[in-house]
Amino acid sequence: MEMRNNLVRKVVVPLVAIIIFLAIWEWIVWINGWPNYKMASPSDLGPSFWKYRVLFLEYGWDTFWRTVAGLGLSVLVGTLLGMIMGFSRIIREGLYPLLVGFNAIPKATVVPVIALILVGLDDLNTVLIAFLISFFPIAVSVSIGLSTLEPEYRDILRSLGASRLTIFWKIALPKTLPEFFGALKVAVTLAFIGTNLMEIVEPHGKGLGHLFDSGKINADYPLMFSVLIALAFLGIVLFYIVVALERIFAGWAERE
């Protein structure tokens, strides 16, 4: 019974929500009498996906692997930076203003700069902008998790002869995992935003951003909306991969 309830809650309910959303979208287009060159409806998306199915597979893979690469880089750098800030108040107070200031800069203005510096290195600059836009929440969450570690734990373990590394692995790291995965869920969507910013602002001839730009140039609204749905689908897939990893490594923190 409990397994069936979990299945309903985690599979059936999201599917019903998606169907209701698509039905409302279709109804709004229909009630306003909008043609598909003004506003595409869900019924227009199926033929568009089929017509450009090869491009969706090819460009979707380009966007996905570059997003995952940028997200992986943000995890490595963000975790390392968060550890440094979490264990050193001086470094934390020195780096926070720089990180906040950089994160406040609109990334659409950073894209042309990165593209100019790394001209011709299309994959690298796309991965880099995905990293730059997504590492901030990870660094901050890890830093906060480590800096708020109860001093009693550290004092007890130090009195028992535990090293800093032992304290980190046994106490600090497990305590930080829930915050880390919460930030990683946010970083997933940010990484996709960064990837598509680079693909649209500085077209490289590949990626879903390039396909969206092609639809915009040709006023192909069904194609444009199909790209948006494809991006949403990839984001959902990557989000649930993170959820699965969270259950494996931090399932103990889950509350019903």
Side-chain angles (χ1 to χ4, degrees):
M1 179 63 71
E2 184 178 353
M3 184 177 297
R4 194 170 83 179
N5 291 336
N6 287 336
L7 180 65
V8 170
R9 189 177 72 249
K10 296 175 182 178
V11 177
V12 177
V13 172
L15 286 177
V16 170
I18 292 172
I19 292 172
I20 292 174
F21 168 76
L22 293 176
I24 293 174
W25 179 4
E26 185 79 30
W27 178 80
I28 291 174
V29 175
W30 175 77
I31 199 70
N32 287 283
W34 288 330
N36 63 8
Y37 58 81
K38 182 177 181 179
M39 176 68 176
S41 63
S43 58
D44 297 320
L45 302 186
S48 180
F49 275 119
W50 180 253
K51 180 179 179 181
Y52 299 103
R53 59 190 181 279
V54 176
L55 293 179
F56 272 105
L57 290 173
E58 179 183 348
Y59 292 159
W61 171 248
D62 290 332
T63 295
F64 187 76
W65 82 257
R66 292 191 289 188
T67 300
V68 171
L71 185 64
L73 188 61
S74 71
V75 168
L76 292 176
V77 176
T79 302
L80 180 61
L81 197 59
M83 288 170 56
I84 295 173
M85 291 192 300
F87 285 124
S88 174
R89 178 176 296 179
I90 294 176
I91 295 178
R92 182 167 65 251
E93 292 176 352
L95 287 181
Y96 258 135
L98 296 175
L99 291 176
V100 172
F102 175 78
N103 197 58
I105 299 174
K107 298 306 179 287
T109 61
V110 179
V111 167
V113 177
I114 299 297
L116 183 62
I117 294 174
L118 301 174
V119 61
L121 302 175
D122 297 340
D123 290 334
L124 179 59
N125 57 29
T126 306
V127 170
L128 185 59
I129 198 67
F131 153 71
L132 291 175
I133 203 173
S134 62
F135 85 97
F136 180 76
I138 296 175
V140 171
S141 67
V142 173
S143 171
I144 292 175
L146 294 179
S147 63
T148 56
L149 180 65
E150 290 80 356
E152 294 82 3
Y153 291 143
R154 282 181 289 191
D155 293 341
I156 292 172
L157 288 173
R158 282 178 182 173
S159 67
L160 296 174
S163 64
R164 281 180 170 268
L165 185 61
T166 301
I167 295 173
F168 172 75
W169 282 110
K170 298 295 185 181
I171 301 295
L173 182 60
K175 179 183 182 299
T176 308
L177 284 178
E179 290 88 351
F180 168 78
F181 279 106
L184 189 55
K185 292 174 185 176
V186 177
V188 164
T189 57
L190 294 178
F192 271 105
I193 292 172
T195 302
N196 284 274
L197 271 176
M198 181 62 78
E199 291 172 350
I200 293 174
V201 176
E202 294 293 333
H204 299 147
K206 55 185 178 179
L208 290 176
H210 169 69
L211 191 58
F212 178 87
D213 210 34
S214 299
K216 182 180 70 175
I217 293 171
N218 294 292
D220 190 342
Y221 274 68
L223 175 59
M224 293 170 63
F225 278 90
S226 297
V227 171
L228 297 180
I229 296 300
L231 287 170
F233 174 76
L234 292 178
I236 292 171
V237 169
L238 196 53
F239 176 85
Y240 277 104
I241 290 175
V242 173
V243 170
L245 292 174
E246 181 183 22
R247 292 200 172 182
I248 294 172
F249 296 104
W252 52 268
E254 184 177 351
R255 295 289 185 271
E256 291 296 332

